[in-house]
Amino acid sequence: MTRGAARHAAFIDGMRLGVGPGAAAFVLALSFGAEAEARGWGFGLPVVFSALAFSGSAQFTLLTALAGGSALAAITSAVLINARYLVMSVALNENLEGGRVRRSIQALALADASFVAAHTDDGRYDAARLIGASVPQWIFWVSGTAIGALTAPSPELMHTLGLDVAFPAFFLILAIDELRRSRRAFVAALLGAGIAAALLFVTSPGYALLGATAAALIGVLPEKETA
């Protein structure tokens, strides 16, 4: 198989892997679109925001923070909640190809589920699979935001249908799959849970979750070579 054919196959495989997370993201996007419309954002603004930002955590953080504080506080919160991508980008960097511009464009596809989908058995990350996995997720995310802003489903309806737990449940499945493949990921998960549990005694859940991401820094430690 040629290099181009291998990339194409990885891209298609990534798209297949991205459909599941995309469906879960669609449900979350419905909530974001409905909440944004209820807060006076209208239809166009949340859709454009989803198309450009493509980050549920940052978008919900900004939406919530703007309602209760200044724009500076909202932007700062959104930036901090996405700080995990700094660690993820370090792991991904050496697997990207081309010059700075091309590598920057490839990095735009970085998303939580795509990062997991791109992880190969040899510990590296497949850039083509990463991009492929992000394509359906982006489509589902933007379309879900649009439909949510148009239909504005109530939180009660989302809870009755069980849609409010679809997104976290799917990411739990992704986490379990990654933990089964990597001892380092398992240690990082335990450490993160411990940090979050400790911080909950002194701060809010949002800051506890942010502090727990520090456990991901275990990924920058050199791995022991096996004989």
Side-chain angles (χ1 to χ4, degrees):
M1 181 182 293
T2 64
R3 189 172 183 179
R7 288 178 180 171
H8 178 74
F11 179 82
I12 297 300
D13 187 46
M15 290 190 67
R16 178 183 61 81
L17 294 173
V19 171
F26 178 82
V27 175
L28 187 65
L30 288 175
S31 297
F32 173 75
E35 183 66 20
E37 197 281 332
R39 292 178 186 252
W41 285 35
F43 172 77
L45 183 57
V47 173
V48 172
F49 190 21
S50 285
L52 297 179
F54 185 36
S55 173
S57 56
Q59 290 179 230
F60 271 105
T61 299
L62 188 63
L63 181 65
T64 304
L66 279 175
S70 66
L72 178 60
I75 293 174
T76 301
S77 299
V79 171
L80 288 175
I81 203 67
N82 268 7
R84 67 189 186 280
Y85 287 119
L86 292 175
V87 179
M88 294 163 65
S89 63
V90 171
L92 182 65
N93 181 57
E94 65 179 22
N95 299 280
L96 302 178
E97 300 178 352
R100 293 183 179 179
V101 175
R102 183 178 177 183
R103 293 164 71 89
S104 298
I105 294 175
Q106 293 176 61
L108 291 176
L110 182 58
D112 296 314
S114 302
F115 185 74
V116 175
H119 193 198
T120 59
D121 292 334
D122 60 1
R124 295 177 61 81
Y125 293 88
D126 192 311
R129 189 187 295 177
L130 175 87
I131 297 171
S134 291
V135 169
Q137 291 181 76
W138 183 87
I139 294 174
F140 275 115
W141 180 251
V142 177
S143 60
T145 301
I147 294 174
L150 281 175
T151 61
S154 66
E156 292 76 16
L157 177 61
M158 300 285 286
H159 179 73
T160 299
L161 298 177
L163 299 180
D164 55 337
V165 298
F167 194 73
F170 191 87
F171 269 90
L172 177 61
I173 295 174
L174 288 179
I176 292 174
D177 181 64
E178 184 68 13
L179 297 181
R180 291 173 59 186
R181 293 194 299 167
S182 171
R183 181 179 299 178
R184 176 175 291 194
F186 183 76
V187 173
L190 288 179
L191 181 59
I195 293 174
L199 289 178
L200 282 175
F201 288 101
V202 296
T203 187
S204 65
Y207 287 111
L209 178 62
L210 182 62
T213 60
L217 292 174
I218 195 174
V220 303
L221 298 177
E223 294 191 67
K224 294 182 179 180
E225 295 185 1
T226 56

